Amino acid sequence: MQTQEQEREELEAAETPTGRSPRVLWIVVTLALIAGLVFVKMRFFPAPNTDAKGSGGGRGAAGGGKGGPGAKGAGQKLPVQVYVVQPTNLSDEVAATGSVLADESVIIKSELSGKITSLNIREGQPVRRGQLLFSINADEAQAAINKQQYNIRLFRDQEKRQRTLLDKEYISTQEYEQANNQLQTAQADLKALQASLAKAYVRAPFDGVLGLTTATIGTYVSPGTEITTLSRVRPVKIDFAVPGRFASSVRVGDVVSITDEGTSKKYDAKVYAIDPQIDPVSRTQPVRARYANTRDELRPGAFVKVNLQLGESTTALQVPTEAVIPEASGYSVYLVQNGKMVPKKVKIGIRSDKVLQITDGLAVGDSVIRTGILQVKPGDAVRAGAD
């Protein structure tokens, strides 16, 4: 057991500054931590100032002039640029791509087997209708024709004798008909041989320009062998297609502007035929125009750009393309009304690189936001600036 003197020494040691220092240090650190948390809460998470007289009023409510961080943006307006809608001139134009076709074109082929005995093809040169292009050895066909002609003479004499006997009632009608049938059959066979012989002499079916060929005199050809091509290139046809929604606007006689992709030169052609059906795959309307091509400006097979004028309007409403917002259900724009942003559904029409036609949803004088679209929400206060 400790003596009273020892107990008194221990009590005096506990009351010395050295003994009190850990407890005081702990209290100071705790208070500093609490003060730091309070500062962070007030600095970065201020309480909403719902009522100047309420529990959240405090210094933020009383200090209306100085205010807290939230009071500064309460009256701030986002600056945006707007486009004021006005009626404009607009050409209703449809752009498409097309191909140049020859007015008439055919592949010249052989219909018989044999060797080419004459060749009058001048590659790339014009020919007239009916002009002989080449001929095939037809000696066998000619010999068969000669033989058949002799047979016809014989059958004709027999038919005359049988007719005489029939008139005198020496033979029956059946015997005469047999002789007459032989004559008619021989004459029909002669016409077939003559038609076959005509195939040995190939002529131009129409006026045109010959293509290239690899055939020469002595070349053996078979039925279906391609010899050359023949094309009529004055005039030429222009094949193109327009979207189905414009099908009702295209008329026979409409003038289309054609731009040659190779030379960038422009020509005017006239629509002369419209396909009665819309292509079910591409949903486009096939159209065909004709160009005189008197100077051989366009060559069949060339690629061209086609512009078709469907009309012109002086009251069209157009807005900058960046002001129109595509959505899943259509298109919309943002308007400025009474200093606030208001979304508006619209329908679009003809578009170009910079402007887009609005066919429904806007009126003359509407202010359409064209900048800052991503920063504003419906109902936000905005400060409009003119372009």
Side-chain angles (χ1 to χ4, degrees), residues 34-51:
I34 294 173
L37 293 175
V38 172
F39 173 77
V40 171
K41 173 63 173 63
M42 295 180 63
R43 177 65 178 84
F44 297 102
F45 305 96
N49 186 13
T50 58
D51 188 359

Side-chain angles (χ1 to χ4, degrees), residues 18-213:
T18 305
R20 292 195 302 268
S21 58
R23 183 180 301 175
V24 174
L25 180 60
W26 174 255
I27 294 173
V28 171
V29 171
T30 302
L31 292 176
L33 180 60
I34 294 173
L37 293 175
V38 172
F39 173 77
V40 171
K41 173 63 173 63
M42 295 180 63
R43 177 65 178 84
F44 297 102
F45 305 96
N49 186 13
T50 58
D51 188 359
K53 295 182 180 181
S55 59
R59 184 175 300 175
K66 297 181 181 180
K72 183 177 180 181
Q76 186 176 7
K77 296 183 178 181
L78 181 67
V80 295
Q81 296 291 329
V82 299
Y83 175 85
V84 180
V85 179
Q86 298 293 337
T88 57
N89 294 329
L90 176 64
S91 295
D92 195 358
E93 183 178 85
V94 177
T97 57
S99 300
V100 180
L101 304 177
D103 187 48
E104 288 185 339
S105 181
V106 66
I107 298 175
I108 305 298
K109 299 180 179 181
S110 171
E111 296 185 74
L112 299 177
S113 298
K115 292 183 180 180
I116 296 177
T117 55
S118 66
L119 187 65
N120 302 319
I121 295 176
R122 295 179 297 167
E123 297 173 308
Q125 298 299 314
V127 294
R128 305 293 295 180
R129 177 181 179 181
Q131 181 175 330
L132 180 64
L133 301 179
F134 66 93
S135 61
I136 297 175
N137 184 4
D139 292 343
E140 291 183 3
Q142 186 63 56
I145 289 175
N146 295 336
K147 178 181 178 181
Q148 193 65 19
Q149 288 175 341
Y150 293 138
N151 290 334
I152 289 176
R153 293 193 190 101
L154 176 61
F155 293 147
R156 183 176 288 114
D157 292 341
Q158 290 177 352
E159 188 271 338
K160 288 181 179 180
R161 287 193 297 268
Q162 293 295 84
R163 178 180 292 276
T164 301
L165 294 175
L166 179 63
D167 292 340
K168 295 180 179 182
E169 297 183 353
Y170 292 158
I171 62 173
S172 65
T173 304
Q174 182 179 1
E175 291 176 317
Y176 167 76
E177 289 178 349
Q178 289 178 351
N180 184 60
N181 183 62
Q182 284 183 330
L183 175 61
Q184 298 295 332
T185 302
Q187 290 175 338
D189 290 342
L190 177 61
K191 290 182 179 180
L193 292 172
Q194 290 173 338
S196 178
L197 178 63
K199 294 179 181 179
Y201 301 92
V202 180
R203 302 180 183 276
F206 51 82
D207 296 349
V209 179
L210 292 172
L212 305 181
T213 182

Side-chain angles (χ1 to χ4, degrees), residues 24 36 76 95 120 196 229 245 296 323 355 382 387:
V24 174
Q76 186 176 7
N120 302 319
S196 178
T229 60
R245 65 179 183 273
D296 298 333
V355 295
V382 295
D387 283 338

